[in-house]
Amino acid sequence: MAVFEATGIHKRFGSSVVLEKIDLQFETGQISGIMGPNGAGKTTCFNVLTGRYKPDRGRIRFEDADITGLSPQQIAHRGISRSFQIMNLFDDSAVIENIMIALPQFYGDRKNIFRSAFDNEKLVGGAMAVLEQVGLSPKAWEPSKSLSYGDRRALEIGVALAANPRILFLDEPTQGLGANATLKLSNLINELRERYTIVIIEHDMNFLFDLADKISVIHWGQVIAEGSPFELRTNKWVQRSALGEVA
Amino acid sequence: MLSVNNLEKIYTKSRFNRTPTFQLRADFAIEEPSIVGMMGPNGSGKTTLFELITGSNTPTAGQVLVDGKNIHDVRTDERDRLAIHYHQSYQVRHFSSLRPNFLLNRAGCDYPKVHLFDEPQFNTQDGYIGFMLDFFRKLKADGRLVFLCVHPNEKFHLEIMQEICEQFVFVQSGTVSTYPNFHSLTERPEVKTYLGKLLFEEQIA
């Protein structure tokens, strides 16, 4: 049963049609991939699914509730988190601080503004638990600007996880990463699949083909193909491409 | 499904100097869902024909019927629900009409009947070709009419056309001709000249 479902999504900006008729379903506990060439509408699709843009037509449903047109904050409150293609971190703050301010209890427990958040054991413990999940607990007290690019990606995923989501959307997580960092990230996402439903937009086909249970190919603002990596790889032209050689 | 009736588009030097600089003429009909290959040299009028079919360009004479509706009598904000033009890497749809929308007809459908793909970027390295071709097949199976415009400059372009297209349209110097299959298309001397070495390589292979 699909936990998240988008039906007949249509989006245009002025005379530019970006999404024509998008139908997507994401199953509980699976990693779903969205891939497509540059300009295919992947990020716009992500922005519509996570509430940054309102669709012109179509419906979005999450856990049996219609979330079409809700604000990003309302959508986040319902258990949907996302990361961004361009990282949004507080560079001058410690790694753990980036997580702490993303924890929902940070706002609930901060009644005394004169007391340091670091004195709150629940907050620090909660943040450390998130950092544990993304493998950054040994670097918790380092300034986030000192992290490698790969660790910064992991921290961004940690910030998204701090909200305790049930579904996690990752926008081009391998962007700017080298081969080793990409492998590390792939291992991290593989570990997270036990606990979360994950949706990844990705340009790097090999990364998705290794990780995803199901892939939707977007082009011309529409889903032009869909299936498991195995099913997509059986295509004659995929076999002829560089992707087929990897397979 | 698609009727292009005595369609004519004439571009003139200016509004006052009516000397024609380019003329496009087309008269054909396609009744059943199909995948139609379109070829022709640069500047022959392929994109103009697509624009006339989608209603983003106004004909000098004649009419285009999509699913029985004159596309130029349909509301400008709903024309892309009947026929859509996929440009190479972006989708800009600009429609204008001297008549306001409230005097025009509704499209009467939500998803286009005719899909016109204008020189999609095919790259044998990334595997997307296979997904694109499957999408064309799916559109046809859903009862849509697909036009695939390709300007072949590599052997695999002809391979794609042969694999997927069931009938062909050849546009040259504003004249539109239709052919029922790849063989009848490539028999024509003007097509042989246009394809040149590519066709020879195809026949050897």
Side-chain angles (χ1 to χ4, degrees):
Chain A
M1 160 86 184
V3 68
F4 191 104
E5 192 170 27
T7 318
I9 300 296
H10 191 280
K11 180 75 191 165
R12 74 159 72 201
F13 296 108
S15 59
S16 296
V17 177
V18 187
L19 304 177
E20 180 63 44
K21 182 178 170 281
I22 294 272
D23 293 324
L24 288 168
Q25 292 92 31
F26 308 129
E27 307 285 332
T28 312
Q30 284 199 347
I31 295 183
S32 303
I34 296 176
M35 68 181 200
N38 284 333
K42 301 187 295 292
T43 295
T44 304
C45 177
F46 230 48
N47 285 335
V48 169
L49 298 182
T50 54
R52 284 172 72 84
Y53 300 144
K54 204 175 160 183
D56 298 330
R57 297 205 297 266
R59 311 304 304 170
I60 303 168
R61 190 182 58 77
F62 176 55
E63 292 178 337
D64 294 328
D66 191 333
I67 59 164
T68 319
L70 295 187
S71 68
Q73 291 86 341
Q74 288 169 318
I75 285 182
H77 276 298
R78 286 178 182 250
I80 299 168
S81 245
R82 68 164 290 178
S83 74
F84 293 85
Q85 202 171 337
I86 299 162
M87 287 189 272
N88 295 293
L89 295 171
F90 294 110
D91 282 342
D92 291 324
S93 303
V95 168
I96 194 167
E97 286 178 286
N98 275 278
I99 301 290
M100 280 167 77
I101 55 168
L103 290 169
Q105 58 264 43
F106 180 82
Y107 302 95
D109 291 358
R110 297 287 289 131
K111 290 186 183 96
N112 183 352
I113 58 166
F114 299 107
R115 191 174 161 226
S116 164
F118 293 112
D119 294 339
N120 187 330
E121 284 173 16
K122 240 168 55 187
L123 268 182
V124 176
M128 284 306 282
V130 172
L131 287 175
E132 198 76 47
Q133 288 188 57
V134 294
L136 285 178
S137 50
K139 296 177 180 170
W141 303 99
E142 291 179 19
S144 53
K145 67 181 167 196
S146 71
L147 295 182
S148 68
Y149 203 76
D151 282 346
R152 287 167 65 80
R153 278 280 173 212
L155 178 55
E156 238 229 334
I157 293 175
V159 170
L161 294 181
N164 197 20
R166 289 184 295 286
I167 186 165
L168 177 65
F169 286 81
L170 303 175
D171 190 357
E172 304 238 6
T174 68
Q175 181 153 323
L177 298 186
N180 284 341
T182 301
L183 183 64
K184 218 171 133 190
L185 184 73
S186 175
N187 293 336
L188 168 63
I189 294 172
N190 234 335
E191 283 167 26
L192 294 176
R193 75 190 310 157
E194 306 274 310
R195 275 161 283 176
Y196 306 96
T197 300
I198 300 173
V199 183
I200 310 172
I201 280 194
E202 194 45 69
H203 196 72
D204 181 342
M205 285 196 193
N206 292 323
F207 180 79
L208 266 193
F209 271 56
D210 287 343
L211 265 182
D213 298 295
K214 193 184 95 178
I215 296 173
S216 305
V217 183
I218 292 189
H219 196 10
W220 300 300
Q222 299 176 62
V223 178
I224 63 164
E226 214 163 26
S228 67
F230 177 79
E231 286 164 339
L232 295 182
R233 271 179 172 144
T234 56
N235 187 296
K236 183 182 97 183
W237 287 92
V238 174
Q239 290 288 324
R240 269 176 72 166
S241 72
L243 203 61
E245 284 162 28
V246 174
Chain B
M1 226 175 161
L2 173 71
S3 287
V4 175
N5 299 334
N6 299 314
L7 192 70
E8 194 173 62
K9 179 73 190 178
I10 301 172
Y11 288 109
T12 55
K13 277 192 173 171
S14 73
R15 190 170 288 184
F16 306 106
N17 182 351
R18 309 302 290 174
T19 314
T21 52
F22 178 77
Q23 299 185 40
L24 176 81
R25 286 192 178 88
D27 186 42
F28 63 91
I30 297 169
E31 302 299 340
E32 299 292 323
S34 176
I35 302 172
V36 183
M38 183 190 271
M39 291 189 229
N42 289 329
S44 59
K46 302 188 296 288
T47 299
T48 303
L49 180 60
F50 275 3
E51 288 171 354
L52 291 165
I53 292 173
T54 54
S56 64
N57 197 338
T58 316
T60 311
Q63 57 174 203
V64 175
L65 302 180
V66 180
D67 202 28
K69 296 185 181 71
N70 184 340
I71 193 86
H72 295 94
D73 285 343
V74 171
R75 289 170 59 116
T76 51
D77 58 347
E78 292 189 4
R79 286 181 191 173
D80 63 357
R81 296 189 193 182
L82 277 173
I84 75 172
H85 184 176
Y86 300 84
H87 294 257
Q88 278 187 33
S89 56
Y90 59 94
Q91 290 187 53
V92 177
R93 301 176 203 168
H94 181 71
F95 302 95
S96 58
S97 171
L98 292 173
R99 287 174 292 166
N101 272 337
F102 69 88
L103 290 177
L104 296 171
N105 303 323
R106 305 300 301 253
C109 60
D110 248 4
Y111 191 62
K113 299 281 180 192
V114 179
H115 296 249
L116 305 132
F117 293 89
D118 202 347
E119 300 194 23
Q121 286 176 336
F122 291 129
N123 179 350
T124 49
Q125 279 307 294
D126 64 16
Y128 281 115
I129 293 178
F131 305 138
M132 294 185 201
L133 300 191
D134 281 349
F135 183 54
F136 302 151
R137 290 187 185 103
K138 181 178 163 285
L139 287 171
K140 188 203 152 187
D142 288 346
R144 318 286 159 180
L145 175 60
V146 176
F147 273 78
L148 174 60
C149 175
V150 173
H151 185 53
N153 46 32
E154 302 230 30
K155 190 175 153 254
F156 77 88
H157 289 145
L158 277 189
E159 233 179 288
I160 289 172
M161 297 295 264
Q162 238 182 319
E163 178 184 325
I164 193 111
C165 300
E166 299 145 322
Q167 48 186 313
F168 291 86
V169 169
F170 188 69
V171 187
Q172 191 168 42
S173 311
T175 304
V176 179
S177 321
T178 56
Y179 299 94
N181 51 47
F182 189 76
H183 181 69
S184 58
L185 170 79
T186 50
E187 265 188 347
R188 301 289 307 166
E190 65 272 27
V191 178
K192 280 184 177 159
T193 310
Y194 165 66
L195 294 173
K197 209 172 76 180
L198 282 181
L199 189 62
F200 184 61
E201 285 173 16
E202 185 64 36
Q203 281 162 353
I204 288 174

